[in-house]
């Protein structure tokens, strides 16, 4: 396997059923202020994943490109604060004393998937990325720091947490598909992914 996978840390079943339920409830309540939406890619395609953000900075995509900003372009409002149960995942899974300043919320329904990409819009690319899976199982694909590197797939089930750190921080990754109906956690079905990052404050 490629070197990059050495720093891809998967914690299977890290979150128990009660914690998963509490996270879903808190996140869905918080995003009522800034509704989940199908954003446009810079190339003008509608994303199949519905997304929104929590915390000081939110990742947005539109015809102008990818970026982080402190307000929701749809509503003009600041992104809602991260619920404490979400913010607490950062120190727990990274061991760091700092805090995530961005939590991207992705909802996969109706055949939604995410193409192979790197997370590289953050000011400090040395801080890890923490990704939490809730609801239906995802077929997640991960490779190396070059798009041409070999990839492998990993099934991410509800309650799994993965950390992209070190050499894996810039690993290409994506979601090939979601196994519809594999969980009953999300009201209306589907998969909810929370991606916690340090987006701003480069050293
Ligand atoms: O849904 C996932 O597991 C991955 C999400 C992701 O890679 C992203 O939003 O950048
Ligand atoms: Mn990503």
């Amino acid at each position: 396997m490629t070197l990059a996978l050495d720093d891809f840390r998967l914690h299977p079943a890290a979150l128990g059923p009660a914690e998963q339920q509490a996270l879903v409830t808190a996140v869905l309540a918080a995003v009522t202020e800034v509704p989940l939406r199908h954003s446009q890619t810079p190339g003008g395609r509608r994303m199949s994943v519905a997304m929104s953000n929590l915390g000081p900075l939110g990742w947005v995509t539109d015809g102008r490109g990818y970026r982080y900003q402190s307000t929701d372009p749809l509503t003009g409002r600041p992104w809602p604060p991260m619920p404490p149960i979400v913010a607490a995942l950062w120190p727990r899974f990274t061991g760091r004393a700092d805090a995530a300043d961005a939590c991207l919320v992705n909802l996969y329904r109706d055949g939604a998937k995410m193409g192979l990409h790197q997370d590289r819009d953050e000011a400090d690319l040395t801080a890890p990325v923490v990704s939490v899976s809730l609801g239906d199982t995802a077929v997640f694909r991960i490779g190396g720091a070059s798009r041409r590197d070999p990839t492998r797939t990993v099934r991410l089930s509800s309650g799994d947490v993965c950390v992209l750190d070190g050499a894996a921080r810039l690993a290409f990754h994506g979601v090939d598909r979601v196994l519809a109906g594999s969980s009953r956690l999300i009201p209306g079905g589907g998969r909810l992914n929370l991606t916690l990052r340090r987006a701003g404050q480069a050293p």
Side-chain angles (χ1 to χ4, degrees):
M1 268 304 143
T2 59
L3 176 67
L5 294 173
D6 293 348
D7 290 320
F8 172 70
R9 296 197 292 273
L10 173 60
H11 302 271
L15 311 174
E19 192 173 6
Q20 294 172 41
Q21 183 65 66
L23 281 164
V24 170
T25 302
V27 168
L28 293 182
V31 296
T32 55
E33 302 282 310
V34 284
L36 292 156
R37 81 291 305 264
H38 297 273
S39 298
Q40 297 279 123
T41 66
R45 292 224 302 264
R46 176 188 188 265
M47 290 192 71
S48 61
V49 176
M51 57 179 60
S52 191
N53 292 280
L54 300 171
L57 289 170
W59 184 85
V60 300
T61 170
D62 58 21
R64 287 165 48 209
Y66 303 133
R67 64 192 175 278
Y68 282 93
Q69 60 180 60
S70 57
T71 55
D72 174 6
L74 194 65
T75 63
R77 296 184 189 172
W79 304 106
M82 264 180 244
I85 188 176
V86 173
L89 298 169
W90 180 263
R92 176 166 158 200
F93 288 98
T94 65
R96 291 169 64 108
D98 56 10
D101 59 8
C103 176
L104 175 62
V105 180
N106 291 313
L107 178 65
Y108 295 74
R109 274 190 183 140
D110 305 322
K113 52 193 178 184
M114 190 175 287
L116 209 61
H117 67 278
Q118 291 171 298
D119 287 10
R120 55 177 314 143
D121 301 316
E122 298 72 36
D124 177 6
L125 294 175
T126 66
V129 170
V130 175
S131 175
V132 179
S133 292
L134 297 163
D136 285 345
T137 300
V139 180
F140 182 78
R141 182 170 294 277
I142 182 154
S146 164
R147 190 177 278 282
R148 292 186 302 277
D149 286 341
T151 61
R152 65 167 182 173
T153 58
V154 181
R155 284 191 181 213
L156 297 181
S157 304
S158 196
D160 291 357
V161 176
C162 52
V163 181
L164 279 75
D165 199 3
R169 174 63 179 79
L170 287 173
F172 276 85
H173 60 278
V175 173
D176 287 1
R177 62 199 173 94
V178 169
L179 308 180
S182 49
S183 158
R184 297 167 54 125
L185 183 68
I186 310 296
R191 171 175 185 260
L192 198 63
N193 165 259
L194 311 178
T195 296
L196 285 84
R197 305 184 179 116
R198 279 179 67 79
Q201 299 157 343

